[in-house]
Amino acid sequence: CETGQMSMLFTCSASIGVMIEGARKSELEFTLAHNVQIREGSLFQVLVTGYNTRQKPVTTTGSEVDHWVFTTRRADSAKTILDEQRSVVGFRLLGVVFVNLISPNIQTVSTADNEVTIQIQLETEVDPAASLQIEYPMAFSEEAALEGATITTGDTFPRKVTIRHNDNIIEIETQDEALPRDTLLEFKVVVSNPSISPPPEENIWRFTTVYLDAPGGAEALDCNYDVPGFRIFGSFREPTPLMEPGIVSPGPNVENQVGVWFTLESGDLPYSL
């Protein structure tokens, strides 16, 4: 199994958007190859890579859209059912926090008090008590956290909010008013630019809305966990082209050597091929 092709053991087919018991569902089917069997009591584990649907499942009459059904069948023409487990609860899909804008006031390295404007829209209204949670790259929090970073909310936010800012985590909580859906929500946060822009895999912002008074405890409603952040840039200080000693002819068609001396404004550049 570790070195061979999986197709020698089984084949796989998928049907998407099939009407099953009054609801539009997807079906994944594995067909074992000849002389291949799954022994009784053994664990069969499979990792399926795919994409979540663009819309949340809509419940129809008599249908359990968030439930999975597992069935084993014979390969005969009747497809006789051998084992079956119905109503297996699946994972819950969240709505989307649409991020329209992350715009810094300053894009140079090693700068404190950089005010960043963020604009978002929610897919789901969050009843009070509600919380908007933001996590931004840790590299932008070091100086700002020490100096007491400030956060301000725009006119479309609830009038009375409680704001907490610890390291690179922001919580904006409202006890009396809902966080509205389909409304442009704007807020500003002061961060500190580091000496070099963080790599793309670390320069990620994450957003989550939470209904704090849900019957079963705090419940996440909308999220966006992969929002690229802004980049910052340094500059070359005092670039000065100079001719090497002994090379004094600036005339045309003459082989020459030119050295350039400069100072990088950003931090140490990591080595890469």
Side-chain angles (χ1 to χ4, degrees):
C1 293
E2 295 180 358
T3 57
Q5 295 291 328
M6 290 293 106
S7 59
M8 299 176 61
L9 302 177
F10 60 83
T11 58
C12 178
S13 62
S15 301
I16 302 175
V18 179
M19 291 300 296
I20 301 176
E21 299 178 357
R24 191 170 297 278
K25 301 182 179 181
S26 299
E27 188 175 53
L28 182 64
E29 183 175 352
F30 297 93
T31 302
L32 300 182
H34 184 62
N35 292 332
V36 175
Q37 62 179 343
I38 300 176
R39 294 185 177 180
E40 178 182 355
S42 61
L43 175 65
F44 181 75
Q45 183 176 351
V46 59
L47 175 64
V48 180
T49 302
Y51 295 91
N52 291 340
T53 177
R54 291 182 180 271
Q55 292 85 28
K56 293 182 181 179
V58 178
T59 303
T60 56
T61 303
S63 172
E64 297 174 324
V65 293
D66 289 331
H67 288 186
W68 294 52
V69 178
F70 294 85
T71 305
T72 59
R73 302 181 299 204
R74 290 190 184 276
D76 55 24
S77 58
K79 294 187 177 180
T80 305
I81 293 178
L82 301 177
D83 302 284
E84 185 177 56
Q85 178 66 53
R86 306 180 67 85
S87 300
V88 178
V89 179
F91 56 90
R92 187 174 65 90
L93 293 178
L94 303 181
V96 180
V97 177
F98 298 98
V99 181
N100 296 16
L101 178 71
I102 298 180
S103 177
N105 187 42
I106 304 172
Q107 283 192 279
T108 55
V109 298
S110 303
T111 303
D113 299 331
N114 180 19
E115 186 177 68
V116 181
T117 302
I118 298 102
Q119 294 178 349
I120 64 172
Q121 285 181 270
L122 307 182
E123 186 176 15
T124 308
E125 181 172 302
V126 188
D127 293 329
S131 174
L132 170 63
Q133 301 174 1
I134 306 101
E135 178 183 351
Y136 61 88
M138 180 63 77
F140 291 93
S141 70
E142 295 176 359
E143 296 288 339
L146 293 176
E147 297 177 6
T150 59
I151 300 169
T152 56
T153 55
D155 295 337
T156 53
F157 262 91
R159 289 166 294 179
K160 186 177 180 181
V161 295
T162 301
I163 298 175
R164 289 183 288 272
H165 191 175
N166 296 311
D167 294 329
N168 63 326
I169 305 295
I170 302 170
E171 291 184 69
I172 304 175
E173 186 176 312
T174 171
Q175 294 289 334
D176 302 321
E177 299 179 59
L179 290 174
R181 60 168 294 178
D182 299 331
T183 301
L184 191 65
L185 300 173
E186 179 178 295
F187 63 96
K188 299 180 180 181
V189 56
V190 176
V191 301
S192 179
N193 294 352
S195 62
I196 191 170
S197 191
E201 64 272 14
E202 297 178 11
N203 195 7
I204 298 296
W205 291 60
R206 297 173 174 85
F207 299 80
T208 309
T209 60
V210 180
Y211 176 34
L212 299 175
D213 289 343
E219 177 183 356
L221 296 181
D222 289 352
C223 69
N224 196 332
Y225 297 144
D226 193 23
V227 182
F230 60 89
R231 297 185 62 188
I232 54 176
F233 305 92
S235 63
F236 294 93
R237 294 178 181 171
E238 301 177 357
T240 307
L242 297 173
M243 289 186 296
E244 290 286 347
I247 308 298
V248 295
S249 176
N253 300 322
V254 175
E255 184 176 346
N256 207 345
Q257 291 181 335
V258 177
V260 179
W261 285 259
F262 58 85
T263 302
L264 290 178
E265 190 175 48
S266 61
D268 295 336
L269 296 177
Y271 171 79
S272 62
L273 294 176

